[in-house]
Amino acid sequence: YRIDIHVHTADPDLYVWQQMTEQIFAPQNCQTKAFYHQGKISLFVNNGFGTSLYQSTDGAQWQQLAAPTGLPTPCQVRDIMQHGDTLYYIANNQLYTSTNCSQWTAYDFTERPYNLVNMLVEFDQQAWCILQDKATDELMLGVVDGGDIQPSVAIHGLDGNKLPKDFPVSEFAALPFRSSSERPRAIIVGGRSIDGTSVNTRWSMEYEVSAGYRMVDFSIEQPSFNSLTGVSIIQYNDQLIMFGGIDNDLEWRSDMLYSDDEGMNWYLPDTTHNQLPKSYTSRQQQSVVVDSLQNIYIIGGQSLTTSYSDVYRGYLNKTKWAATNE
C-alpha cells in the first residue's frame, strides 16, 4: 500500500491580504457599489451626474464599460440589490431591473396605494423591499415578482407585515445566508430610519416550514451594540464578518468584526490570524464581495474626508489547499 502524506507548513487559519490596485478611477465625491455577478466583479460608480460601470475578474485589472442605460442620473448606487442574476434599484416610485448590469428596465408604481422606499434583501429565493402606505405612512415589507411588487405575507415578530418606525430604510447592510441548520436566513444591520436617525438594530429574518417567516431584533438582547451606518457583511468560513462603518459620533468602528452565532454577538478578530495591511485606511460604504474561488475583495469606500477606489484581496489559507496526487 502506498500512503501519501501532505504536510502544510503555512497556518491554515491565517488570512492573507494584499492590495490589488491603488485606484480604479479618480474617486472624487463618488458613491460606489460592487457585486460578484456572472463570474465577474461589477462596480457601479455615480458622481451625481451619471453612473459608470467597471468590471474585473481578479480585482487588479479593470475595464470601464459603456455607461449603463435606463438608470436615473442621480442614482444612489449603494441601494442597488442583487437577487440571483438580477439587479434591482428603487427611486421615485420606479423599480429598475437589469440582468447584465448595463441595460436597465423601469416599472412605474406611482398609481399604487403604497410608495416604494428601498430594496431590502434577497431572502428565501425572493427579492424583498420596503414599502410605505400612502394613507397611513406606515412602513411594510414587500416582495418583488418580476416587474411587479406586492405587500408581503404576515411575518411573525411584526404586526402583520408592518415594520416599526425605527426600522432602517437606508445605509444598512443586508446579507442572505443559510443557518447552521440549513434554513434560509438574512440579517439587516444598522442604517438610518425613515426620519434619518442612525439605528443600532440587527434584524434577523428566518423561514421555518412549520412556522413561516419570522423576524427578531437581536439588539433587544444585545443593546450595547452601537448605532452605525455604512458597514458591509459577508458569510465566510462559517462565520459572518462585518467590515467598516461609523457610529453616531462619526467615530470609526473596527475595520473587522466577527460573529459565530449568525449575528447575535460580534467580536474583534485575532490579529495574529487576520489583519489588514498597514496601507489599508479605515472607511465606511466599502463594497465587500466573495468570488467563486473564496477570495474576499474590499473595494473603495469613504472616510470622513476622502473617497477611495482601491482594492484589497484576502483569503483564508485553508480555502486554497487541495489534495494532490503525485
Side-chain angles (χ1 to χ4, degrees), residues 36-64:
Y36 187 65
H37 185 264
Q38 297 178 349
K40 295 180 179 179
I41 306 169
S42 293
L43 174 67
F44 293 89
V45 181
N46 188 278
N47 60 4
F49 300 98
T51 301
S52 302
L53 177 61
Y54 298 81
Q55 284 189 339
S56 175
T57 57
D58 60 4
Q61 303 297 321
W62 290 82
Q63 178 186 10
Q64 183 174 4

PDB file of all heavy atoms in Angstrom, residues 36-64:
ATOM      1  N   TYR A  36     -20.475  40.539  -7.204  1.00  0.00           N
ATOM      2  CA  TYR A  36     -19.909  39.422  -7.960  1.00  0.00           C
ATOM      3  C   TYR A  36     -21.047  38.885  -8.798  1.00  0.00           C
ATOM      4  O   TYR A  36     -21.975  38.252  -8.289  1.00  0.00           O
ATOM      5  CB  TYR A  36     -19.334  38.358  -7.035  1.00  0.00           C
ATOM      6  CG  TYR A  36     -18.596  37.280  -7.796  1.00  0.00           C
ATOM      7  CD1 TYR A  36     -17.437  37.578  -8.510  1.00  0.00           C
ATOM      8  CD2 TYR A  36     -19.063  35.963  -7.811  1.00  0.00           C
ATOM      9  CE1 TYR A  36     -16.759  36.600  -9.224  1.00  0.00           C
ATOM     10  CE2 TYR A  36     -18.386  34.982  -8.520  1.00  0.00           C
ATOM     11  CZ  TYR A  36     -17.246  35.310  -9.222  1.00  0.00           C
ATOM     12  OH  TYR A  36     -16.576  34.333  -9.933  1.00  0.00           O
ATOM     13  N   HIS A  37     -20.984  39.155 -10.107  1.00  0.00           N
ATOM     14  CA  HIS A  37     -22.126  38.929 -10.988  1.00  0.00           C
ATOM     15  C   HIS A  37     -21.666  38.187 -12.236  1.00  0.00           C
ATOM     16  O   HIS A  37     -20.812  38.673 -12.981  1.00  0.00           O
ATOM     17  CB  HIS A  37     -22.752  40.274 -11.370  1.00  0.00           C
ATOM     18  CG  HIS A  37     -23.998  40.167 -12.178  1.00  0.00           C
ATOM     19  ND1 HIS A  37     -24.008  40.258 -13.560  1.00  0.00           N
ATOM     20  CD2 HIS A  37     -25.297  39.978 -11.810  1.00  0.00           C
ATOM     21  CE1 HIS A  37     -25.240  40.144 -13.992  1.00  0.00           C
ATOM     22  NE2 HIS A  37     -26.049  39.972 -12.969  1.00  0.00           N
ATOM     23  N   GLN A  38     -22.181  36.988 -12.437  1.00  0.00           N
ATOM     24  CA  GLN A  38     -21.898  36.178 -13.620  1.00  0.00           C
ATOM     25  C   GLN A  38     -20.386  36.023 -13.851  1.00  0.00           C
ATOM     26  O   GLN A  38     -19.887  36.167 -14.958  1.00  0.00           O
ATOM     27  CB  GLN A  38     -22.580  36.795 -14.848  1.00  0.00           C
ATOM     28  CG  GLN A  38     -24.091  36.812 -14.735  1.00  0.00           C
ATOM     29  CD  GLN A  38     -24.778  37.459 -15.923  1.00  0.00           C
ATOM     30  OE1 GLN A  38     -24.144  38.091 -16.761  1.00  0.00           O
ATOM     31  NE2 GLN A  38     -26.095  37.314 -15.999  1.00  0.00           N
ATOM     32  N   GLY A  39     -19.667  35.705 -12.765  1.00  0.00           N
ATOM     33  CA  GLY A  39     -18.244  35.383 -12.862  1.00  0.00           C
ATOM     34  C   GLY A  39     -17.314  36.573 -12.897  1.00  0.00           C
ATOM     35  O   GLY A  39     -16.094  36.404 -13.040  1.00  0.00           O
ATOM     36  N   LYS A  40     -17.846  37.776 -12.745  1.00  0.00           N
ATOM     37  CA  LYS A  40     -17.008  38.972 -12.752  1.00  0.00           C
ATOM     38  C   LYS A  40     -17.406  39.892 -11.598  1.00  0.00           C
ATOM     39  O   LYS A  40     -18.538  39.834 -11.106  1.00  0.00           O
ATOM     40  CB  LYS A  40     -17.145  39.730 -14.079  1.00  0.00           C
ATOM     41  CG  LYS A  40     -16.636  38.974 -15.293  1.00  0.00           C
ATOM     42  CD  LYS A  40     -16.808  39.796 -16.560  1.00  0.00           C
ATOM     43  CE  LYS A  40     -16.280  39.037 -17.778  1.00  0.00           C
ATOM     44  NZ  LYS A  40     -16.458  39.831 -19.032  1.00  0.00           N
ATOM     45  N   ILE A  41     -16.466  40.753 -11.199  1.00  0.00           N
ATOM     46  CA  ILE A  41     -16.778  41.798 -10.244  1.00  0.00           C
ATOM     47  C   ILE A  41     -17.250  43.009 -11.036  1.00  0.00           C
ATOM     48  O   ILE A  41     -16.517  43.526 -11.882  1.00  0.00           O
ATOM     49  CB  ILE A  41     -15.560  42.177  -9.393  1.00  0.00           C
ATOM     50  CG1 ILE A  41     -14.961  40.944  -8.725  1.00  0.00           C
ATOM     51  CG2 ILE A  41     -15.957  43.207  -8.335  1.00  0.00           C
ATOM     52  CD1 ILE A  41     -13.612  41.195  -8.076  1.00  0.00           C
ATOM     53  N   SER A  42     -18.483  43.427 -10.806  1.00  0.00           N
ATOM     54  CA  SER A  42     -19.040  44.597 -11.473  1.00  0.00           C
ATOM     55  C   SER A  42     -19.155  45.731 -10.461  1.00  0.00           C
ATOM     56  O   SER A  42     -19.732  45.548  -9.381  1.00  0.00           O
ATOM     57  CB  SER A  42     -20.413  44.283 -12.072  1.00  0.00           C
ATOM     58  OG  SER A  42     -20.302  43.356 -13.131  1.00  0.00           O
ATOM     59  N   LEU A  43     -18.597  46.887 -10.816  1.00  0.00           N
ATOM     60  CA  LEU A  43     -18.546  48.038  -9.913  1.00  0.00           C
ATOM     61  C   LEU A  43     -19.306  49.198 -10.530  1.00  0.00           C
ATOM     62  O   LEU A  43     -18.974  49.669 -11.623  1.00  0.00           O
ATOM     63  CB  LEU A  43     -17.097  48.437  -9.650  1.00  0.00           C
ATOM     64  CG  LEU A  43     -16.878  49.715  -8.829  1.00  0.00           C
ATOM     65  CD1 LEU A  43     -17.371  49.517  -7.397  1.00  0.00           C
ATOM     66  CD2 LEU A  43     -15.405  50.123  -8.846  1.00  0.00           C
ATOM     67  N   PHE A  44     -20.347  49.670  -9.813  1.00  0.00           N
ATOM     68  CA  PHE A  44     -21.099  50.844 -10.231  1.00  0.00           C
ATOM     69  C   PHE A  44     -20.558  52.075  -9.508  1.00  0.00           C
ATOM     70  O   PHE A  44     -20.317  52.034  -8.296  1.00  0.00           O
ATOM     71  CB  PHE A  44     -22.589  50.677  -9.906  1.00  0.00           C
ATOM     72  CG  PHE A  44     -23.267  49.607 -10.706  1.00  0.00           C
ATOM     73  CD1 PHE A  44     -23.296  48.291 -10.264  1.00  0.00           C
ATOM     74  CD2 PHE A  44     -23.882  49.911 -11.910  1.00  0.00           C
ATOM     75  CE1 PHE A  44     -23.923  47.297 -11.002  1.00  0.00           C
ATOM     76  CE2 PHE A  44     -24.518  48.933 -12.663  1.00  0.00           C
ATOM     77  CZ  PHE A  44     -24.538  47.620 -12.209  1.00  0.00           C
ATOM     78  N   VAL A  45     -20.395  53.166 -10.244  1.00  0.00           N
ATOM     79  CA  VAL A  45     -19.874  54.413  -9.690  1.00  0.00           C
ATOM     80  C   VAL A  45     -20.789  55.544 -10.127  1.00  0.00           C
ATOM     81  O   VAL A  45     -21.079  55.690 -11.317  1.00  0.00           O
ATOM     82  CB  VAL A  45     -18.441  54.697 -10.188  1.00  0.00           C
ATOM     83  CG1 VAL A  45     -17.912  56.002  -9.580  1.00  0.00           C
ATOM     84  CG2 VAL A  45     -17.516  53.536  -9.862  1.00  0.00           C
ATOM     85  N   ASN A  46     -21.262  56.357  -9.166  1.00  0.00           N
ATOM     86  CA  ASN A  46     -22.086  57.503  -9.514  1.00  0.00           C
ATOM     87  C   ASN A  46     -21.516  58.757  -8.858  1.00  0.00           C
ATOM     88  O   ASN A  46     -21.241  58.772  -7.656  1.00  0.00           O
ATOM     89  CB  ASN A  46     -23.535  57.296  -9.074  1.00  0.00           C
ATOM     90  CG  ASN A  46     -24.447  58.395  -9.597  1.00  0.00           C
ATOM     91  OD1 ASN A  46     -24.546  59.470  -9.033  1.00  0.00           O
ATOM     92  ND2 ASN A  46     -25.114  58.115 -10.713  1.00  0.00           N
ATOM     93  N   ASN A  47     -21.324  59.794  -9.656  1.00  0.00           N
ATOM     94  CA  ASN A  47     -20.764  61.057  -9.161  1.00  0.00           C
ATOM     95  C   ASN A  47     -21.806  62.164  -9.093  1.00  0.00           C
ATOM     96  O   ASN A  47     -21.465  63.340  -8.943  1.00  0.00           O
ATOM     97  CB  ASN A  47     -19.604  61.505 -10.048  1.00  0.00           C
ATOM     98  CG  ASN A  47     -20.021  61.738 -11.497  1.00  0.00           C
ATOM     99  OD1 ASN A  47     -21.203  61.632 -11.836  1.00  0.00           O
ATOM    100  ND2 ASN A  47     -19.057  62.030 -12.349  1.00  0.00           N
ATOM    101  N   GLY A  48     -23.087  61.824  -9.197  1.00  0.00           N
ATOM    102  CA  GLY A  48     -24.154  62.809  -9.173  1.00  0.00           C
ATOM    103  C   GLY A  48     -24.589  63.255 -10.548  1.00  0.00           C
ATOM    104  O   GLY A  48     -25.663  63.850 -10.712  1.00  0.00           O
ATOM    105  N   PHE A  49     -23.752  62.988 -11.551  1.00  0.00           N
ATOM    106  CA  PHE A  49     -24.060  63.397 -12.920  1.00  0.00           C
ATOM    107  C   PHE A  49     -24.277  62.193 -13.845  1.00  0.00           C
ATOM    108  O   PHE A  49     -24.645  62.359 -15.006  1.00  0.00           O
ATOM    109  CB  PHE A  49     -22.940  64.271 -13.480  1.00  0.00           C
ATOM    110  CG  PHE A  49     -22.702  65.516 -12.689  1.00  0.00           C
ATOM    111  CD1 PHE A  49     -21.680  65.579 -11.756  1.00  0.00           C
ATOM    112  CD2 PHE A  49     -23.520  66.626 -12.858  1.00  0.00           C
ATOM    113  CE1 PHE A  49     -21.456  66.726 -11.022  1.00  0.00           C
ATOM    114  CE2 PHE A  49     -23.306  67.783 -12.121  1.00  0.00           C
ATOM    115  CZ  PHE A  49     -22.277  67.836 -11.196  1.00  0.00           C
ATOM    116  N   GLY A  50     -24.033  61.008 -13.356  1.00  0.00           N
ATOM    117  CA  GLY A  50     -24.214  59.815 -14.163  1.00  0.00           C
ATOM    118  C   GLY A  50     -23.554  58.618 -13.513  1.00  0.00           C
ATOM    119  O   GLY A  50     -22.771  58.752 -12.562  1.00  0.00           O
ATOM    120  N   THR A  51     -23.874  57.434 -14.013  1.00  0.00           N
ATOM    121  CA  THR A  51     -23.347  56.187 -13.465  1.00  0.00           C
ATOM    122  C   THR A  51     -22.362  55.568 -14.447  1.00  0.00           C
ATOM    123  O   THR A  51     -22.638  55.480 -15.645  1.00  0.00           O
ATOM    124  CB  THR A  51     -24.486  55.187 -13.188  1.00  0.00           C
ATOM    125  OG1 THR A  51     -25.413  55.775 -12.268  1.00  0.00           O
ATOM    126  CG2 THR A  51     -23.944  53.896 -12.607  1.00  0.00           C
ATOM    127  N   SER A  52     -21.208  55.152 -13.927  1.00  0.00           N
ATOM    128  CA  SER A  52     -20.200  54.439 -14.710  1.00  0.00           C
ATOM    129  C   SER A  52     -20.161  52.996 -14.255  1.00  0.00           C
ATOM    130  O   SER A  52     -20.566  52.661 -13.129  1.00  0.00           O
ATOM    131  CB  SER A  52     -18.813  55.077 -14.543  1.00  0.00           C
ATOM    132  OG  SER A  52     -18.830  56.441 -14.918  1.00  0.00           O
ATOM    133  N   LEU A  53     -19.653  52.114 -15.121  1.00  0.00           N
ATOM    134  CA  LEU A  53     -19.593  50.683 -14.833  1.00  0.00           C
ATOM    135  C   LEU A  53     -18.200  50.159 -15.143  1.00  0.00           C
ATOM    136  O   LEU A  53     -17.679  50.380 -16.244  1.00  0.00           O
ATOM    137  CB  LEU A  53     -20.632  49.934 -15.652  1.00  0.00           C
ATOM    138  CG  LEU A  53     -20.663  48.399 -15.528  1.00  0.00           C
ATOM    139  CD1 LEU A  53     -20.964  47.974 -14.101  1.00  0.00           C
ATOM    140  CD2 LEU A  53     -21.683  47.806 -16.495  1.00  0.00           C
ATOM    141  N   TYR A  54     -17.601  49.473 -14.182  1.00  0.00           N
ATOM    142  CA  TYR A  54     -16.285  48.853 -14.337  1.00  0.00           C
ATOM    143  C   TYR A  54     -16.419  47.364 -14.036  1.00  0.00           C
ATOM    144  O   TYR A  54     -17.223  46.957 -13.190  1.00  0.00           O
ATOM    145  CB  TYR A  54     -15.262  49.475 -13.384  1.00  0.00           C
ATOM    146  CG  TYR A  54     -15.009  50.951 -13.603  1.00  0.00           C
ATOM    147  CD1 TYR A  54     -15.889  51.902 -13.086  1.00  0.00           C
ATOM    148  CD2 TYR A  54     -13.904  51.395 -14.318  1.00  0.00           C
ATOM    149  CE1 TYR A  54     -15.668  53.260 -13.279  1.00  0.00           C
ATOM    150  CE2 TYR A  54     -13.667  52.755 -14.512  1.00  0.00           C
ATOM    151  CZ  TYR A  54     -14.556  53.676 -13.989  1.00  0.00           C
ATOM    152  OH  TYR A  54     -14.340  55.015 -14.194  1.00  0.00           O
ATOM    153  N   GLN A  55     -15.587  46.544 -14.696  1.00  0.00           N
ATOM    154  CA  GLN A  55     -15.600  45.103 -14.437  1.00  0.00           C
ATOM    155  C   GLN A  55     -14.182  44.570 -14.331  1.00  0.00           C
ATOM    156  O   GLN A  55     -13.241  45.096 -14.938  1.00  0.00           O
ATOM    157  CB  GLN A  55     -16.356  44.358 -15.542  1.00  0.00           C
ATOM    158  CG  GLN A  55     -17.855  44.496 -15.445  1.00  0.00           C
ATOM    159  CD  GLN A  55     -18.602  43.599 -16.404  1.00  0.00           C
ATOM    160  OE1 GLN A  55     -18.075  43.142 -17.415  1.00  0.00           O
ATOM    161  NE2 GLN A  55     -19.866  43.302 -16.087  1.00  0.00           N
ATOM    162  N   SER A  56     -14.042  43.495 -13.544  1.00  0.00           N
ATOM    163  CA  SER A  56     -12.749  42.847 -13.343  1.00  0.00           C
ATOM    164  C   SER A  56     -12.973  41.382 -13.008  1.00  0.00           C
ATOM    165  O   SER A  56     -14.013  41.005 -12.463  1.00  0.00           O
ATOM    166  CB  SER A  56     -11.983  43.528 -12.204  1.00  0.00           C
ATOM    167  OG  SER A  56     -10.781  42.851 -11.906  1.00  0.00           O
ATOM    168  N   THR A  57     -11.979  40.560 -13.338  1.00  0.00           N
ATOM    169  CA  THR A  57     -12.029  39.146 -12.945  1.00  0.00           C
ATOM    170  C   THR A  57     -11.087  38.833 -11.795  1.00  0.00           C
ATOM    171  O   THR A  57     -11.203  37.772 -11.184  1.00  0.00           O
ATOM    172  CB  THR A  57     -11.663  38.239 -14.129  1.00  0.00           C
ATOM    173  OG1 THR A  57     -10.368  38.608 -14.619  1.00  0.00           O
ATOM    174  CG2 THR A  57     -12.694  38.379 -15.245  1.00  0.00           C
ATOM    175  N   ASP A  58     -10.147  39.773 -11.495  1.00  0.00           N
ATOM    176  CA  ASP A  58      -9.147  39.490 -10.461  1.00  0.00           C
ATOM    177  C   ASP A  58      -8.955  40.619  -9.462  1.00  0.00           C
ATOM    178  O   ASP A  58      -8.136  40.500  -8.546  1.00  0.00           O
ATOM    179  CB  ASP A  58      -7.797  39.149 -11.105  1.00  0.00           C
ATOM    180  CG  ASP A  58      -7.247  40.286 -11.959  1.00  0.00           C
ATOM    181  OD1 ASP A  58      -7.864  41.370 -12.008  1.00  0.00           O
ATOM    182  OD2 ASP A  58      -6.179  40.080 -12.586  1.00  0.00           O
ATOM    183  N   GLY A  59      -9.665  41.723  -9.615  1.00  0.00           N
ATOM    184  CA  GLY A  59      -9.519  42.853  -8.712  1.00  0.00           C
ATOM    185  C   GLY A  59      -8.338  43.746  -9.020  1.00  0.00           C
ATOM    186  O   GLY A  59      -8.219  44.829  -8.435  1.00  0.00           O
ATOM    187  N   ALA A  60      -7.467  43.320  -9.918  1.00  0.00           N
ATOM    188  CA  ALA A  60      -6.269  44.093 -10.254  1.00  0.00           C
ATOM    189  C   ALA A  60      -6.447  44.866 -11.552  1.00  0.00           C
ATOM    190  O   ALA A  60      -6.128  46.052 -11.640  1.00  0.00           O
ATOM    191  CB  ALA A  60      -5.057  43.177 -10.348  1.00  0.00           C
ATOM    192  N   GLN A  61      -6.954  44.185 -12.576  1.00  0.00           N
ATOM    193  CA  GLN A  61      -7.162  44.810 -13.880  1.00  0.00           C
ATOM    194  C   GLN A  61      -8.655  45.094 -14.055  1.00  0.00           C
ATOM    195  O   GLN A  61      -9.473  44.190 -13.939  1.00  0.00           O
ATOM    196  CB  GLN A  61      -6.662  43.893 -15.003  1.00  0.00           C
ATOM    197  CG  GLN A  61      -5.188  43.505 -14.878  1.00  0.00           C
ATOM    198  CD  GLN A  61      -4.270  44.704 -14.979  1.00  0.00           C
ATOM    199  OE1 GLN A  61      -4.505  45.614 -15.780  1.00  0.00           O
ATOM    200  NE2 GLN A  61      -3.220  44.714 -14.166  1.00  0.00           N
ATOM    201  N   TRP A  62      -8.964  46.363 -14.379  1.00  0.00           N
ATOM    202  CA  TRP A  62     -10.356  46.784 -14.501  1.00  0.00           C
ATOM    203  C   TRP A  62     -10.610  47.390 -15.874  1.00  0.00           C
ATOM    204  O   TRP A  62      -9.766  48.094 -16.424  1.00  0.00           O
ATOM    205  CB  TRP A  62     -10.696  47.810 -13.424  1.00  0.00           C
ATOM    206  CG  TRP A  62     -10.732  47.208 -12.054  1.00  0.00           C
ATOM    207  CD1 TRP A  62      -9.654  46.964 -11.244  1.00  0.00           C
ATOM    208  CD2 TRP A  62     -11.890  46.766 -11.342  1.00  0.00           C
ATOM    209  NE1 TRP A  62     -10.064  46.400 -10.069  1.00  0.00           N
ATOM    210  CE2 TRP A  62     -11.435  46.267 -10.097  1.00  0.00           C
ATOM    211  CE3 TRP A  62     -13.247  46.749 -11.624  1.00  0.00           C
ATOM    212  CZ2 TRP A  62     -12.311  45.750  -9.155  1.00  0.00           C
ATOM    213  CZ3 TRP A  62     -14.115  46.243 -10.681  1.00  0.00           C
ATOM    214  CH2 TRP A  62     -13.651  45.754  -9.459  1.00  0.00           C
ATOM    215  N   GLN A  63     -11.767  47.107 -16.403  1.00  0.00           N
ATOM    216  CA  GLN A  63     -12.183  47.645 -17.690  1.00  0.00           C
ATOM    217  C   GLN A  63     -13.420  48.504 -17.493  1.00  0.00           C
ATOM    218  O   GLN A  63     -14.394  48.075 -16.877  1.00  0.00           O
ATOM    219  CB  GLN A  63     -12.497  46.521 -18.679  1.00  0.00           C
ATOM    220  CG  GLN A  63     -12.997  47.002 -20.030  1.00  0.00           C
ATOM    221  CD  GLN A  63     -13.433  45.851 -20.932  1.00  0.00           C
ATOM    222  OE1 GLN A  63     -13.541  44.719 -20.498  1.00  0.00           O
ATOM    223  NE2 GLN A  63     -13.692  46.173 -22.198  1.00  0.00           N
ATOM    224  N   GLN A  64     -13.382  49.733 -18.016  1.00  0.00           N
ATOM    225  CA  GLN A  64     -14.567  50.575 -17.974  1.00  0.00           C
ATOM    226  C   GLN A  64     -15.441  50.251 -19.164  1.00  0.00           C
ATOM    227  O   GLN A  64     -14.998  50.306 -20.311  1.00  0.00           O
ATOM    228  CB  GLN A  64     -14.214  52.053 -17.974  1.00  0.00           C
ATOM    229  CG  GLN A  64     -15.441  52.950 -17.850  1.00  0.00           C
ATOM    230  CD  GLN A  64     -15.108  54.423 -17.704  1.00  0.00           C
ATOM    231  OE1 GLN A  64     -13.941  54.812 -17.763  1.00  0.00           O
ATOM    232  NE2 GLN A  64     -16.122  55.247 -17.498  1.00  0.00           N
TER     233      GLN A  64
END
